[in-house]
Amino acid sequence: MSALDHAGDVRPDYRHISKLARPAATLTLGGAALKWYDIAPAGAPVPADVHALARCSLEEASRRGALGLAGDLGFVILHRCGQSFYFLIVTTWRNDNELWETVWAKDGDADLRFRPWPAEGSHRPTFCVWELGAVCHERRAWSDYLRSQRGEAARRDYLRAWFEGEV
């Protein structure tokens, strides 16, 4: 028996769908400038109230010093997973070429706010296949920035380099 006999198993009932990544206004927190992406099925976009709650949650956390952002550039992904579960992923570029992340979540209508997502164990999830669509674009945009003179104009170019489309 080979490792490939079972490696990469996917549940038989799993049906993969496409989602859309939609950019929103840049969020400035604690001196950090963060592009914003909502990711959701085409027919079930992130509701405006959830989007607003996510932004408010990050603004409040930043005021409390809970995010530790200072002068960073990066992006936020608000991902609708299923009917009413949302991941809120804050990512920033640090140490020149590393992507750092903070993950929060909101689970259903009974969950009135976004909360830090617990990360347990030594092997943890990072990005799902849909989130990677935005991450892939952002990697290219950051590489373009790194190859530039990295002045104010280049930072503005990075912040204007959005991805929008099917993931």
PDB file of all heavy atoms in Angstrom, residues 1 40 48 55 101 155:
ATOM      1  N   MET A   1       0.842  -1.174   0.000  1.00  0.00           N
ATOM      2  CA  MET A   1       0.000   0.000   0.000  1.00  0.00           C
ATOM      3  C   MET A   1       0.893   1.244   0.000  1.00  0.00           C
ATOM      4  O   MET A   1       1.817   1.358   0.770  1.00  0.00           O
ATOM      5  CB  MET A   1      -0.922   0.000   1.225  1.00  0.00           C
ATOM      6  CG  MET A   1      -1.845   1.177   1.245  1.00  0.00           C
ATOM      7  SD  MET A   1      -2.954   1.219   2.656  1.00  0.00           S
ATOM      8  CE  MET A   1      -4.149   0.012   2.190  1.00  0.00           C
ATOM      9  N   ALA A  40     -17.131  35.335  -0.425  1.00  0.00           N
ATOM     10  CA  ALA A  40     -18.402  34.657  -0.178  1.00  0.00           C
ATOM     11  C   ALA A  40     -18.943  34.114  -1.488  1.00  0.00           C
ATOM     12  O   ALA A  40     -18.508  34.535  -2.566  1.00  0.00           O
ATOM     13  CB  ALA A  40     -19.402  35.633   0.439  1.00  0.00           C
ATOM     14  N   ALA A  48     -24.046  43.369   4.934  1.00  0.00           N
ATOM     15  CA  ALA A  48     -23.481  44.670   5.310  1.00  0.00           C
ATOM     16  C   ALA A  48     -23.291  44.793   6.819  1.00  0.00           C
ATOM     17  O   ALA A  48     -22.288  45.362   7.272  1.00  0.00           O
ATOM     18  CB  ALA A  48     -24.368  45.796   4.788  1.00  0.00           C
ATOM     19  N   ARG A  55     -15.363  45.270  10.812  1.00  0.00           N
ATOM     20  CA  ARG A  55     -14.528  46.472  10.814  1.00  0.00           C
ATOM     21  C   ARG A  55     -14.499  47.107  12.207  1.00  0.00           C
ATOM     22  O   ARG A  55     -13.425  47.485  12.704  1.00  0.00           O
ATOM     23  CB  ARG A  55     -15.013  47.461   9.770  1.00  0.00           C
ATOM     24  CG  ARG A  55     -14.754  46.968   8.351  1.00  0.00           C
ATOM     25  CD  ARG A  55     -15.243  47.946   7.307  1.00  0.00           C
ATOM     26  NE  ARG A  55     -14.296  49.003   7.044  1.00  0.00           N
ATOM     27  CZ  ARG A  55     -13.361  48.955   6.091  1.00  0.00           C
ATOM     28  NH1 ARG A  55     -13.233  47.885   5.321  1.00  0.00           N
ATOM     29  NH2 ARG A  55     -12.551  49.978   5.916  1.00  0.00           N
ATOM     30  N   GLU A 101      -0.228  36.641  10.540  1.00  0.00           N
ATOM     31  CA  GLU A 101      -1.685  36.679  10.585  1.00  0.00           C
ATOM     32  C   GLU A 101      -2.233  36.632  12.002  1.00  0.00           C
ATOM     33  O   GLU A 101      -1.620  36.077  12.910  1.00  0.00           O
ATOM     34  CB  GLU A 101      -2.295  35.532   9.769  1.00  0.00           C
ATOM     35  CG  GLU A 101      -2.140  34.171  10.384  1.00  0.00           C
ATOM     36  CD  GLU A 101      -2.850  33.074   9.607  1.00  0.00           C
ATOM     37  OE1 GLU A 101      -3.529  33.348   8.616  1.00  0.00           O
ATOM     38  OE2 GLU A 101      -2.718  31.922  10.031  1.00  0.00           O
ATOM     39  N   ARG A 155       4.132  52.470  -1.979  1.00  0.00           N
ATOM     40  CA  ARG A 155       3.157  52.031  -0.973  1.00  0.00           C
ATOM     41  C   ARG A 155       1.740  52.289  -1.465  1.00  0.00           C
ATOM     42  O   ARG A 155       0.857  51.443  -1.308  1.00  0.00           O
ATOM     43  CB  ARG A 155       3.411  52.727   0.367  1.00  0.00           C
ATOM     44  CG  ARG A 155       4.643  52.179   1.093  1.00  0.00           C
ATOM     45  CD  ARG A 155       4.773  52.710   2.499  1.00  0.00           C
ATOM     46  NE  ARG A 155       5.113  54.114   2.562  1.00  0.00           N
ATOM     47  CZ  ARG A 155       6.351  54.612   2.444  1.00  0.00           C
ATOM     48  NH1 ARG A 155       7.369  53.796   2.245  1.00  0.00           N
ATOM     49  NH2 ARG A 155       6.563  55.908   2.522  1.00  0.00           N
TER      50      ARG A 155
END
